Amino acid sequence: MLEDRPWEAVGLTEEEYRRCRELLGREPNHLELGLVGLMWSEHCSYKTSKVHLAKLPNEGPGVLQGPGENAGVIDLGDGLALAFKIESHNHPSAIEPLQGAATGVGGILRDIITMGAHPIAILDSLRFGLLEAPRNRYLFAGVVAGIGWYGNCFGCPTVGGEVYCEPVYDGNPLVNAMCLGLVRTAGIIRGRAEGPGNPVLLAGAPTGRDGIHGASLLASREFDEKAEERRPSVQVGDPFLGKLLLEACLEARDTGLLVGVNDLGAAGLTSACSETASRAGTGIELELDEVPRREPGMTPYEVMLSESQERMLIIARQGGEEVIARIFRRWGLEAKIIGRVTADGMIRVREGGRMVAEVPAAALTREAPVYHRPERAAERPVLDLGALPDLAPSQAGAWLARLMGSANLASREWVYRQYDHLVGVNTALRPGSDAAVLRFKDRPGGVAAAVDGNGRHCWLAPRLGGALAVAEAARNLTVSGARPVALTNCLNFGNPERPEIMWEFREVIEGMAEACRALGTPVTGGNVSFYNETLGQNIYPTPVVGMVGLLDDIAHVTRQGFQSAGDRIILLGRTRDDLGGGEYLKLAHGLVAGPPPGLDLEAEVRVQALCLEAIRAGMVRSAHDCSDGGLAVALAEMAVAGGEGARGLDVDLAAAGGSRLDTLLFGETPSRIVLAVAPAAAEGLLALARRHGVAAVELGVVTDGRVVLRQGGRTLVDEATADLEAAWKGALPCLMAG
Amino acid sequence: MRWRARVWVTLRAGVLDPQGAATRSALVSLGFTGVQTVRAGKFLELELVAASREEADRQVADMCRRLLANPVTEDFRYELEGCQEG
Amino acid sequence: MRWRARVWVTLRAGVLDPQGAATRSALVSLGFTGVQTVRAGKFLELELVAASREEADRQVADMCRRLLANPVTEDFRYELEGCQEG
Amino acid sequence: MRFGVVVFPGSNCERDCFHLVDQVLGRPVRYVWHQDTALERVDCVILPGGFSYGDYLRPGAIARFSPVMGAVAEHAGAGGLVLGICNGFQILLEAGLLPGAMLRNRSLQFQCQDVFLRVEDVETAFTRLCRPGQVLKVPIKHGDGNYHVDPEDLAARGRVVFRYSEADGRVTPEANPNGSMANIAGLANLEGNVVGLMPHPEVSAEEVLGGTDGRVLLESAVRYWEERGPC
Ligand SMILES: Nc1ncnc2c1ncn2[C@@H]1O[C@H](COP(=O)(O)OP(=O)(O)O)[C@@H](O)[C@H]1O
Ligand SMILES: [Mg+2]
């Protein structure tokens, strides 16, 4: 029955087909080949990334669940734990931005729910081509509307994120969503099909023909004109059903009758069954006729591969199925037995009394091929700083305004205003500062979260870029008053069959691993998205780090905005002549050239430790890290975000470092933090900095109304804060209006 | 010349319609138990100025393709009629 | 008997239509400068089982009045046709 | 005084409202299921925000037919207290307990932001502890809050309780976040025992969340109930 080159139709190589035949000990039938093709796709099998992901440190004192489950979990003490995970939905969002982004959010929410956790926050990391192009505006608007639609309706606040626009993301936007959830430590559920004889239930929405072959055809292949023809495979989200599913799952969890839970995402039933069985070392036998369907005439192939949304696979304790079904019915949902756990490690699929597929769960998962793909280091443009004319002092003010209003630095309010960032009544630090903070209702502390990743840095110097992403995420938590604890990551890369991309991939991971070790933040999970290539153009290597941190006391929440005039402004860390890879270099000179700013991990650790200690000691009124746009932009942002009567500053940057004006104002040297402290605390803070071995200089004072930057006797910038604010706030709405 | 266009935008077959499904079950629970399916779509009425029927027709088709309908998930249909100057 | 009903729900005259206004300005900025007005509404397709045309008609009118349209802001209109058993 | 928070399929602020009454106010509260047909032992019923039935068709259009809404109407008719927040307000409008209807926001976008509300009527059960003209800072988060009403209908059946304003209380077009007629953000019935508003008082009831202005609504209700006693 099989055609000439049967492997091609399911995206396998001839070699992989041979391996499949060996594992089965016979020719696979059409359905079996489909299952294998899907599960061995890059998206499901991680066949290319596995060997490198193993280098990320994943253990630490607080880690209750590392990589390999639906989400990582860390211990919060006193019987409470935090589950969190990030995931990409890049290719679906390129085809249908609203539904693609919405179903991405739905998917990550379900990942958290499967752990037995109640989602408490979402963050989103987005990349688009330049917004001057209508297509990119359409994608951006659609993605934001889709994230908002799903998250708002579901009732989980979207509290933070990031957006960058670069030409390399033209036609290949990135949409990464992270979710955090709370779970009682004793109630953590895992995606394991334990206990032969236990019933396997399919709960939630009926199964339709949505997204068939999404995983293998969309996420595991580069983009070309034919992508348009794959359109009917878009999945459609239903956040209303998603919310009902949450409520039913939480209620079912509390019965203690759930043995294992897995969501149905990429590769649908096939993936959920083989993964839960493989994790537990068991098998699953499915009666496909029992699967509730939305459309008549679906083939076993379609039922097994469907990516219909808002579904969960539940392995229940024997005898508990009726109680669970009743709970789901109360919420207007079906939870139906579609199979049983078996002892022999086989995934068996029966339809109409006939066995239609019989494959070892391990063959679909653990025994999938693993590749060490070839790599080749690439040359990247290097900046000759000496040949670059410095910024003229008379232009400093104009360039500050220009940077504040650039697409990559401007206020993200246009985005987060469309997200309900308050539902749940936990949001203690709203979007607009360095990290988001959620308070705990039953204890004094809270949790902070931030997502960071600078693709331009990673393209110019992948290893350094990977480390910088981790350091910046940690710094964003620290300045907000939290101790960085652990992270999840989403690795968005081009086509791994190109040696240059593999080199980027390995380098980024090794850089991240180094930084994770230095900062003591293990990686508890993540996601890899390869094949972000459109018509031969690969995206920048874009790792997105989603980090979580803890606050012992919610009173430690620290904002970037100034609080009272007269507060002293102190810069921690040294400024070097770092212009490479920066926003100013690109805008002012049209250059994307490296290397990006170097990172001294020891200095980074010290400056963060100091900042946190100062915050905990109650010395700090405002804190903000220097990142994109450098020191001048960081200072201006603190003024713009300032409270009444504290929307300005007067500082002298002479002691800040940097031998050039452009690097002093706009250079992006990392490991720098700007603090504002009460006048009486300034001396103490400087002393504390000396004890920590951190360079610290007092720059000036908080004022109101104007941003004044001087150098020695000379005034470099003297701008009305309101004007800078107008440029900063107006930029995105204006760009999006076309 | 002034024209009136009526545009129907409907979901493509096979595309899930959560709105239609929710509306159907609401109708059933209101006692309209005979309702089998509901599909929800959009209806737009446009007035436009164009030199000729052909021109108006070309423009409306273009609007549908470019903005009014999402080709990934939706189909469209329209009717055109001349209307009196108001 | 099986019936197909097409229901149009449109905003009442005098009610501001933010969606229509936004659609119009989007069309104008796409270059369709002849577009004078756009009014946005809903279009629902229902299939229902009812004993007679009168019965189906009565039911659809009832659905519109009770659920499908909000009398404060919306008008409705419908068409009914018999359809083949499928 | 006992509170009830109705849970519709798709409500998503029910836990927040429960937390407000239970933890912030320290009053007895329980959930009321959308299929319940009576509001036993509830003096003040809260219809919470969210997306009941996914807001499909129109916000509140499907929820208003829930069995519990019959009980809510009866409760209101008997002088019991009813507070509809956001989606809860939309349900009250659809149910005809308050006049008018909601359209999409003028921006066509969901909007989540702090707004200022000028209190226009301090005679309702939920505003009697306010000063006339007092300005409250309370966030909104909705996509369909663009209020529309026939002025005669409004005069005959309702009272304006809150208007979107500037921080100093001036009611200006700029302060109107969604295009609502006459900046209307909240209403009461003529008797003043049923109040609906788009902003979310439960999100501005604790310092840690950025403000406590929203508390006054429920504190007013408690005071009202204590003074009047059950009707
Ligand atoms: N896509 C988004 N969704 C929600 N919030 C966002 C998004 N993008 C940016 N933000 C918020 O805007 C603020 C500024 O973001 P960003 O400039 O990336 O911060 P940083 O430079 O400190 O990493 C942060 O509070 C961030 O959470
Ligand atoms: Mg920052």
Side-chain angles (χ1 to χ4, degrees):
Chain A
M1 67 168 271
L2 295 174
E3 349 37 292
D4 247 6
R5 302 166 67 80
W7 50 87
E8 279 181 357
V10 297
L12 294 181
T13 65
E14 187 171 2
E15 179 52 37
E16 288 171 334
Y17 181 74
R18 241 181 266 128
R19 182 183 171 87
C20 160
R21 215 168 39 194
E22 249 166 59
L23 285 169
L24 287 175
R26 60 182 165 80
E27 290 285 339
N29 66 28
H30 177 67
L31 174 57
E32 289 166 341
L33 186 61
L35 306 188
V36 171
L38 202 56
M39 291 304 295
W40 289 11
S41 68
E42 188 61 56
H43 188 75
C44 295
S45 72
Y46 289 82
K47 56 189 170 190
T48 297
S49 52
K50 242 182 197 163
V51 290
H52 300 295
L53 291 176
K55 298 172 192 163
L56 292 167
N58 55 33
E59 281 171 2
V63 178
L64 297 179
Q65 175 65 59
E69 271 287 343
N70 289 302
V73 183
I74 56 167
D75 197 358
L76 301 176
D78 291 328
L80 197 65
L82 180 77
F84 64 103
K85 171 88 185 291
I86 193 167
E87 211 157 68
S88 67
H89 232 214
N90 303 337
H91 292 100
S93 302
I95 291 180
E96 215 304 281
L98 188 140
Q99 292 295 345
T103 52
V105 169
I108 193 65
L109 281 163
R110 283 194 302 281
D111 272 333
I112 297 306
I113 298 167
T114 59
M115 302 304 294
H118 192 160
I120 57 164
I122 298 166
L123 293 92
D124 61 328
S125 174
L126 312 177
R127 302 290 182 281
F128 301 96
L130 299 184
L131 298 180
E132 283 72 17
R135 173 82 192 163
N136 293 328
R137 293 199 294 273
Y138 164 76
L139 290 172
F140 189 11
V143 162
V144 169
I147 292 170
W149 175 52
Y150 203 103
N152 299 348
C153 185
F154 183 94
C156 184
T158 303
V159 296
E162 52 163 10
V163 186
Y164 285 100
C165 300
E166 301 278 357
V168 292
Y169 303 109
D170 234 337
N172 198 134
L174 302 184
V175 177
N176 295 178
M178 173 181 177
C179 184
L180 285 66
L182 290 176
V183 56
R184 295 259 128 227
T185 313
I188 296 174
I189 300 172
R190 291 186 166 79
R192 299 168 68 95
E194 301 282 3
N198 277 337
V200 175
L201 289 83
L202 184 59
T207 300
R209 288 195 174 91
D210 320 67
I212 288 174
H213 263 175
S216 57
L217 291 193
L218 282 181
S220 303
R221 253 188 217 182
E222 72 277 17
F223 251 39
D224 50 34
E225 297 94 350
K226 284 214 208 78
E228 300 279 292
E229 291 164 24
R230 296 190 205 115
R231 271 172 170 175
S233 62
V234 285
Q235 313 114 325
V236 172
D238 184 353
F240 167 57
L241 253 178
K243 172 64 164 40
L244 300 179
L245 197 56
L246 162 77
E247 297 294 348
C249 285
L250 291 179
E251 217 175 301
R253 170 199 69 183
D254 293 338
T255 63
L257 294 168
L258 304 185
V259 172
V261 180
N262 212 88
D263 83 304
L264 281 90
L269 261 181
T270 307
S271 162
C273 290
S274 56
E275 282 180 3
T276 49
S278 163
R279 287 188 196 118
T282 56
I284 287 182
E285 218 169 270
L286 288 178
E287 297 292 341
L288 232 42
D289 306 279
E290 299 301 317
V291 173
R293 302 172 192 202
R294 201 176 76 225
E295 299 170 66
M298 290 181 70
T299 64
Y301 190 84
E302 289 172 324
V303 176
M304 286 303 290
L305 270 51
S306 161
E307 295 185 2
S308 286
Q309 298 290 299
E310 335 302 348
R311 298 180 301 160
M312 288 283 199
L313 191 76
I314 294 179
I315 293 95
R317 189 151 297 156
Q318 244 182 98
E321 52 266 38
E322 198 25 59
V323 175
I324 291 171
R326 210 175 315 126
I327 290 172
F328 277 81
R329 264 199 303 280
R330 201 170 90 90
W331 287 101
L333 300 172
E334 198 166 5
K336 197 148 178 259
I337 299 186
I338 60 161
R340 301 243 157 231
V341 179
T342 62
D344 67 356
M346 298 295 289
I347 299 297
R348 289 204 185 79
V349 185
R350 233 193 287 274
E351 203 204 40
R354 232 164 32 89
M355 188 74 73
V356 291
E358 200 169 7
V359 189
L364 292 170
T365 53
R366 281 194 309 262
E367 285 165 31
V370 171
Y371 293 122
H372 290 83
R373 292 200 194 272
E375 38 177 271
R376 188 176 57 238
E379 295 260 336
R380 296 288 152 81
V382 173
L383 171 67
D384 177 4
L385 191 58
L388 205 68
D390 196 359
L391 171 67
S394 62
Q395 298 301 306
W399 269 106
L400 177 57
R402 174 89 196 275
L403 279 165
M404 296 287 285
S406 80
N408 284 340
L409 303 187
S411 165
R412 270 48 186 138
E413 188 180 353
W414 182 87
V415 178
Y416 61 70
R417 202 186 58 175
Q418 297 184 56
Y419 301 153
D420 182 344
H421 44 261
L422 302 171
V423 62
V425 293
N426 295 321
T427 311
L429 184 51
R430 301 181 185 186
S433 207
D434 287 298
V437 177
L438 300 136
R439 58 95 178 254
F440 297 134
K441 290 200 183 87
D442 66 340
R443 56 186 69 201
V447 55
V451 285
D452 282 288
N454 183 322
R456 209 191 295 148
H457 286 170
C458 291
W459 182 70
L460 290 168
R463 177 178 292 257
L464 175 55
L468 282 168
V470 174
E472 180 172 355
R475 206 181 313 123
N476 278 326
L477 300 185
T478 300
V479 295
S480 306
R483 172 176 60 89
V485 171
L487 65 107
T488 175
N489 68 102
C490 196
L491 303 172
N492 307 276
F493 283 75
N495 180 350
E497 292 158 38
R498 298 179 193 273
E500 204 171 282
I501 303 291
M502 270 324 284
W503 168 76
E504 290 174 348
F505 187 70
R506 183 189 47 73
E507 287 278 310
V508 160
I509 286 186
E510 289 176 6
M512 287 176 63
E514 263 168 54
C516 287
R517 268 188 222 102
L519 289 156
T521 50
V523 178
T524 60
N527 176 251
V528 177
S529 169
F530 275 133
Y531 296 99
N532 290 290
E533 180 188 77
T534 307
L535 303 173
Q537 161 79 67
N538 284 287
I539 62 161
Y540 286 154
T542 313
V544 173
V545 172
M547 198 179 283
V548 296
L550 296 176
L551 298 88
D552 312 321
D553 186 341
I554 206 68
H556 295 159
V557 168
T558 307
R559 285 153 227 273
Q560 67 186 42
F562 290 133
Q563 297 209 18
S564 17
D567 281 357
R568 300 301 158 87
I569 299 172
I570 291 172
L571 173 67
L572 307 180
R574 234 180 273 285
T575 305
R576 297 177 313 243
D577 284 330
D578 289 318
L579 222 50
E583 196 65 23
Y584 171 80
L585 184 65
K586 193 180 143 197
L587 286 185
H589 301 285
L591 283 176
V592 175
L599 176 64
D600 174 348
L601 280 168
E602 276 172 38
E604 180 73 51
V605 169
R606 278 200 304 273
V607 79
Q608 290 193 35
L610 163 64
C611 178
L612 200 55
E613 188 175 334
I615 288 175
R616 286 172 170 171
M619 301 168 109
V620 178
R621 286 256 178 82
S622 343
H624 187 25
D625 72 318
C626 292
S627 61
D628 306 328
L631 180 58
V633 168
L635 289 167
E637 285 172 345
M638 295 176 85
V640 166
E644 201 151 293
R647 291 171 41 85
L649 57 97
D650 191 333
V651 296
D652 192 321
L653 302 178
S659 68
R660 298 166 56 108
L661 200 52
D662 49 12
T663 56
L664 170 65
L665 293 176
F666 306 125
E668 299 180 359
T669 308
S671 317
R672 291 181 302 163
I673 292 172
V674 182
L675 301 179
V677 304
E683 265 321 303
L685 194 113
L686 293 172
L688 190 65
R690 279 193 295 277
R691 278 207 297 285
H692 278 264
V694 172
V697 287
E698 186 170 329
L699 300 178
V701 291
V702 175
T703 61
D704 192 24
R706 298 194 77 78
V707 170
V708 180
L709 311 181
R710 310 172 197 275
Q711 190 187 33
R714 166 170 83 165
T715 302
L716 299 172
V717 173
D718 185 354
E719 301 280 324
T721 307
D723 293 342
L724 293 174
E725 179 176 27
W728 183 69
K729 280 208 171 146
L732 263 196
C734 178
L735 271 168
M736 290 306 288
Chain B
M1 271 282 291
R2 231 182 151 81
W3 306 87
R4 173 172 301 130
R6 293 198 181 78
V7 178
W8 287 262
V9 180
T10 50
L11 281 176
R12 288 173 63 172
V15 173
L16 178 67
D17 177 10
Q19 167 145 261
T23 305
R24 174 181 174 270
S25 67
L27 287 170
V28 168
S29 66
L30 278 179
F32 300 103
T33 49
V35 179
Q36 307 294 305
T37 61
V38 177
R39 297 284 283 175
K42 278 180 281 193
F43 174 64
L44 297 144
E45 289 175 295
L46 283 74
E47 280 190 23
L48 71 157
V49 175
S52 63
R53 172 173 286 273
E54 289 65 42
E55 174 57 18
D57 189 276
R58 201 186 51 68
Q59 285 202 17
V60 174
D62 222 34
M63 291 178 208
C64 290
R65 267 191 296 267
R66 293 179 58 193
L67 184 76
L68 304 180
N70 177 345
V72 181
T73 50
E74 295 171 330
D75 290 324
F76 64 85
R77 188 166 74 71
Y78 61 87
E79 280 170 5
L80 199 64
E81 74 185 29
C83 63
Q84 279 81 276
E85 297 297 322
Chain C
M1 272 282 290
R2 229 180 152 84
W3 307 87
R4 172 172 302 130
R6 293 199 181 78
V7 178
W8 286 262
V9 178
T10 48
L11 280 178
R12 295 176 60 169
V15 174
L16 283 177
D17 175 8
Q19 202 169 345
T23 305
R24 174 178 177 272
S25 67
L27 286 170
V28 168
S29 69
L30 278 179
F32 300 104
T33 48
V35 178
Q36 308 293 304
T37 60
V38 179
R39 298 284 285 173
K42 275 181 256 187
F43 175 62
L44 299 150
E45 289 175 295
L46 284 71
E47 278 189 26
L48 70 157
V49 174
S52 64
R53 172 173 283 275
E54 290 64 42
E55 174 58 18
D57 193 281
R58 201 187 50 70
Q59 285 203 13
V60 174
D62 221 32
M63 291 178 208
C64 290
R65 266 191 298 268
R66 290 182 63 196
L67 180 71
L68 303 181
N70 180 332
V72 179
T73 48
E74 295 171 329
D75 289 323
F76 65 86
R77 189 165 73 72
Y78 61 86
E79 279 170 8
L80 200 63
E81 75 186 28
C83 62
Q84 278 84 275
E85 297 296 322
Chain D
M1 173 180 196
R2 291 152 311 185
F3 288 81
V5 178
V6 178
V7 182
F8 297 100
S11 296
N12 67 29
C13 301
E14 73 278 17
R15 289 183 177 87
D16 301 355
C17 291
F18 190 99
H19 172 82
L20 168 63
V21 178
D22 181 45
Q23 295 293 311
V24 182
L25 248 65
R27 298 278 163 173
V29 55
R30 69 176 180 92
Y31 289 116
V32 177
W33 188 240
H34 64 107
Q35 279 166 343
D36 291 355
T37 49
L39 291 174
E40 286 153 35
R41 291 174 292 104
V42 167
D43 304 311
C44 174
V45 62
I46 300 177
L47 308 185
F51 288 68
S52 56
Y53 295 93
D55 270 6
Y56 294 133
L57 208 55
R58 291 184 311 279
I62 299 178
R64 74 106 155 170
F65 289 106
S66 300
V68 75
M69 286 308 293
V72 169
E74 242 170 63
H75 178 77
L81 301 190
V82 180
L83 178 64
I85 300 170
C86 197
N87 196 233
F89 182 21
Q90 293 164 337
I91 296 170
L92 291 175
L93 295 175
E94 285 282 340
L97 288 171
L98 293 172
M102 287 298 176
L103 301 168
R104 291 281 299 279
N105 288 354
R106 190 179 35 192
S107 66
L108 297 184
Q109 291 174 345
F110 187 94
Q111 278 173 234
C112 178
Q113 68 197 72
D114 276 329
V115 296
F116 293 101
L117 300 178
R118 190 174 77 188
V119 182
E120 303 285 63
D121 185 335
V122 296
E123 306 289 316
T124 80
F126 294 92
T127 50
R128 49 201 344 267
L129 293 181
C130 297
R131 282 174 281 108
Q134 185 177 347
V135 177
L136 309 175
K137 189 178 87 174
V138 183
I140 55 166
K141 44 195 186 84
H142 62 243
D144 301 74
N146 182 349
Y147 180 68
H148 177 90
V149 70
D150 169 3
E152 279 174 28
D153 191 25
L154 177 59
R157 298 203 290 133
R159 300 150 51 168
V160 175
V161 183
F162 301 108
R163 283 186 216 273
Y164 300 109
S165 76
E166 307 286 344
D168 61 10
R170 282 174 307 126
V171 174
T172 63
E174 295 73 37
N176 187 338
N178 52 28
S180 279
M181 226 177 224
N183 282 43
I184 292 172
L187 298 178
N189 61 354
L190 291 179
E191 295 73 26
N193 62 321
V194 177
V195 167
L197 76 166
M198 288 313 290
H200 286 257
E202 77 279 13
V203 186
S204 61
E206 293 168 85
E207 230 22 283
V208 67
L209 304 176
T212 57
D213 286 1
R215 266 192 221 172
V216 70
L217 275 83
L218 292 201
E219 285 165 352
S220 293
V222 170
R223 170 72 67 86
Y224 172 90
W225 202 254
E226 282 165 354
E227 282 174 4
R228 297 268 163 108
C231 304

